[in-house]
Amino acid sequence: MLATETRRALRAGADFVHLDVFDGNWIKGAFTFGPMVVRALRRHEPKAYLDVHLCVTQPAQYLDELAKAGASRVLLHFEALDRSPAVAKAAAQLAHQLGMEVGLALAPQTHLDSDVLEAAESFDAVLAMTVTPGFGGQAFMHEVLPKVHQLREAFPHKSLEVDGGITVRTAALAAAAGANEAVAGTAVFGAKDLRRAIRDLRKSLERS
């Protein structure tokens, strides 16, 4: 099922596949899959960009297996890295040594303080969650948009991703604030015309 839906999205024009890995500990009750599924998906889609979002208690311990599994980029939560720039930098360095790109993920409640900004320097991308991590179908949190704007001002050349409650309208709002990547679940897979849904989302990002 996952391989089929992934292929369908990629053939419809998706730029990447975003995979949420939950261990059931960091977010209580949220459990998905691990590196074995990433590896299986890589076998099905050898050319796909696999964007793996780790919502786990000890993200660094997964990096070696995810690199071997074929992850293109891993997204590590600052909140799970002891909120420490040193710990975050070490994790980013390890991901790079293993041949992956790496992004710093920020929960909606995490403010942009000096520690976050220092940590983000070591990452290729920053993911600003626009819902509370854990479950799909949540409403977009408009209060995160100022954070997106601040991130773009601080890092004019980094990839800046938003995830949660993404529609054509909210993608445009995020893009206006500075985002250049958006993760969409319901808006894409719940659409009758997958290709059109992806095209419309891309236009929203590019238009702003």
Side-chain angles (χ1 to χ4, degrees), residues 92-120:
Q93 288 177 336
L94 177 57
H96 285 143
Q97 289 168 5
L98 292 168
M100 297 181 290
E101 293 184 350
V102 59
L104 185 69
L106 304 173
Q109 298 79 13
T110 297
H111 298 292
L112 285 189
D113 58 20
S114 59
D115 285 344
V116 173
L117 294 173
E118 181 184 347

Side-chain angles (χ1 to χ4, degrees), residues 179-204:
N180 66 315
E181 296 181 12
V183 177
T186 304
V188 170
F189 293 102
K192 292 181 179 179
D193 187 334
L194 196 67
R195 185 175 296 276
R196 180 175 179 178
I198 292 171
R199 184 181 67 240
D200 289 348
L201 282 167
R202 182 180 288 110
K203 285 181 179 178
S204 292

